Amino acid sequence: MLKKKFVIAGLLALPLAAALTGCDVGELAQDRLDESTTRSAATSEQAVKEGILPGWVPAGGTAVELIQRNTGSERIFVMDYDGELPKKSCIPVKTTGAPSAEELAAAYASDERVKRMDPEEISTTRTLDAEWWPEETQSRTTDLCGRFWVSQSGGKLYAFAPDAIGTVEKIQQEREQEAAVGK
């Protein structure tokens, strides 16, 4: 009898939670792709040690800010850094902002997270935003460091790691659906 009361209470709590959060029961049960997490660290060494940033990131950076996609591999980060990129881990691109298919394939092959993917499966579209991320920063890419598109400007290092095309398309669909509902 006590077990039935808990089950009934749980069933009644779900609609109440939905009403309080302003969403329907379907939304509570649905995972969203368009969610992200913000992380930060005082130094690049700390960020690498804590797994916030990849191992190729050079020592000597400060004021690290990162946003990462919760359900995919997209990342953007910035840090104060005015030094050289590690030549062992980073490949300069011939055309700023437009890595070639060969450059992408070589860089992605060196990254554990995407090396088994066909580079054509990886998007070049950024879906993450931050107030510290200048618009179209990825179009100023000068180097590929694994899966990260990297540029430096004004004493800062900017890096963007794209997601799979399928994930980006689903995120864009979610945004379109939300915009249609919000009208």
Side-chain angles (χ1 to χ4, degrees):
M1 184 70 162
L2 188 59
K3 189 175 182 180
K4 279 185 178 179
K5 288 181 182 178
F6 285 119
V7 170
I8 291 170
L11 291 173
L12 293 173
L14 187 59
L16 178 61
L20 292 174
T21 61
C23 59
D24 65 32
V25 175
E27 288 176 344
L28 286 176
Q30 181 182 30
D31 287 336
R32 293 178 31 96
L33 292 173
D34 195 12
E35 293 182 349
S36 59
T37 300
T38 301
R39 301 186 64 192
S40 60
T43 67
S44 58
E45 295 90 342
Q46 176 190 2
V48 169
K49 182 179 177 183
E50 293 177 8
I52 296 171
L53 296 182
W56 64 261
V57 173
T62 59
V64 176
E65 296 292 333
L66 169 119
I67 296 180
Q68 64 186 36
R69 173 87 39 227
N70 292 352
T71 56
S73 58
E74 184 176 0
R75 310 279 186 268
I76 57 174
F77 77 83
V78 64
M79 68 179 188
D80 293 340
Y81 182 76
D82 203 15
E84 296 287 319
L85 292 175
K87 293 185 187 328
K88 185 176 178 181
S89 305
C90 298
I91 301 168
V93 296
K94 289 180 184 161
T95 304
T96 298
S100 69
E102 294 81 20
E103 291 167 333
L104 289 169
Y108 293 168
S110 71
D111 192 296
E112 280 299 316
R113 191 141 185 178
V114 295
K115 76 179 187 180
R116 289 173 200 58
M117 293 178 72
D118 182 336
E120 291 183 14
E121 297 175 69
I122 301 171
S123 179
T124 59
T125 302
R126 178 184 49 81
T127 64
L128 294 171
D129 282 313
E131 59 187 51
W132 44 259
W133 185 266
E135 190 61 33
E136 298 304 318
T137 295
Q138 68 273 18
S139 70
R140 293 186 274 283
T141 297
T142 58
D143 293 83
L144 295 171
C145 302
R147 65 191 169 102
F148 286 84
W149 298 39
V150 179
S151 65
Q152 291 179 275
S153 176
K156 295 193 180 290
L157 182 146
Y158 296 94
F160 156 65
D163 219 325
I165 288 173
T167 302
V168 170
E169 288 172 351
K170 289 177 184 172
I171 290 166
Q172 291 169 331
Q173 288 171 352
E174 278 184 10
R175 289 178 178 176
E176 289 169 8
Q177 289 171 348
E178 288 175 1
V181 171
K183 288 184 178 180

